[in-house]
Amino acid sequence: LLGGNMTKKIAVAVLLSAASALLFAQPRQPASEKSLVLTHVTVIDCTGAAPQADMTVVVAGNRISAVGKTGSIKVPAKSQVVAAKGKFLIPGLWDMHVHLSWTKASAVPALVANGVTGVRDMGGILSEIDAWRAEVAAGALIGPRIIRAGPTVNGKEFAFHQVAVGTEAEARAVVRVLNKVGVDFIKLHRALPREAYFGLAGEAKKLGIPFAGHIPQSVTPAEAADAGQASFEHTETLFEGTFAAQVLQEKLVEAIARFKQDDAPSLFARFAKTGTSFTPTLVAFRFGTEIRDLASDPRDKYISN
């Protein structure tokens, strides 16, 4: 049985999230909506093929309906035509680790302005994320496709979007509730106890919902991969927890060098076998290690403080 606080937290999650989770639907193009046509554009398809110059691309609704040399593609009547000579067209980018509840709504159109048409939100307030997602779907807000986890499951609450669980039973209950309100995957953090982690993994596997995030301090990366964790987040997650406990007598730099030579090949081969993805978040890591004047970035005017 769950304690009173845990029951209350789950009830609040249901009340705040259930309605908004059901609002989102894939946008559909009305029959009368114009197609978007880009002419004389250079297409880079990201397959390794050479850039294709002077192309026409027709977009009908949310699908590319035609691609070919300009002049060889019929432009649908009443289309919106963009002359894109000297410009380049690439597939939409994905940012696989964002926290929109930290940056708020101003980040949603800013992502698209930077070519990001899909994001994976790794922990936030589900009700507000789903409100933005519904606005994007309705065409009221320019923004990317959002795949989201909602509350992060952790051993303690270290942030506003985290929910604490301490036992296997609590972990399984939280997974059931989050699955019920319709999250796309379960996000976990590193303070989750070992027993709770494997309870979460077992319940997620039972319900067929992915789980991703940090590697708990008491779980090895190999164990997490074998348990079915869909992805590991941040480079440093490989060197925390059980790794740090094993190298107390070594200098960290030497321990990591030894890991790269002796252990990394077999570990990443295991990831490949289990289908485990790795999101190193190198740009964010670099940003955190550099000293820079944030006020000097002219792009700050486009996002809230």
Side-chain angles (χ1 to χ4, degrees), residues 153-156 158 162 165 188-194 214-217:
V153 183
N154 204 4
K156 293 183 180 179
F158 293 104
Q162 295 187 359
V165 300
L188 63 101
H189 220 282
R190 63 182 182 178
L192 195 66
R194 182 179 175 87
H214 291 244
I215 302 171
Q217 300 288 285

Side-chain angles (χ1 to χ4, degrees), residues 195-211:
E195 176 189 4
Y197 173 81
F198 286 105
L200 180 151
E203 195 67 23
K205 183 176 181 179
K206 176 182 175 182
L207 296 174
I209 184 169
F211 63 102

Side-chain angles (χ1 to χ4, degrees), residues 3 9 13 20 34 46 62 76 105 108 144 149 170 176 206 213 221 245 269 279-280 284 296:
K9 290 172 185 174
S20 58
K34 296 179 180 179
C46 296
N62 57 7
V108 178
E170 290 179 347
R176 289 195 295 271
K206 176 182 175 182
T279 313
S296 67

Side-chain angles (χ1 to χ4, degrees), residues 94-116:
W94 274 80
D95 190 327
M96 297 302 288
H97 194 118
V98 303
H99 292 277
L100 294 177
S101 289
W102 294 8
T103 54
K104 300 303 179 184
S106 62
V108 178
L111 285 159
V112 173
N114 284 277
V116 177

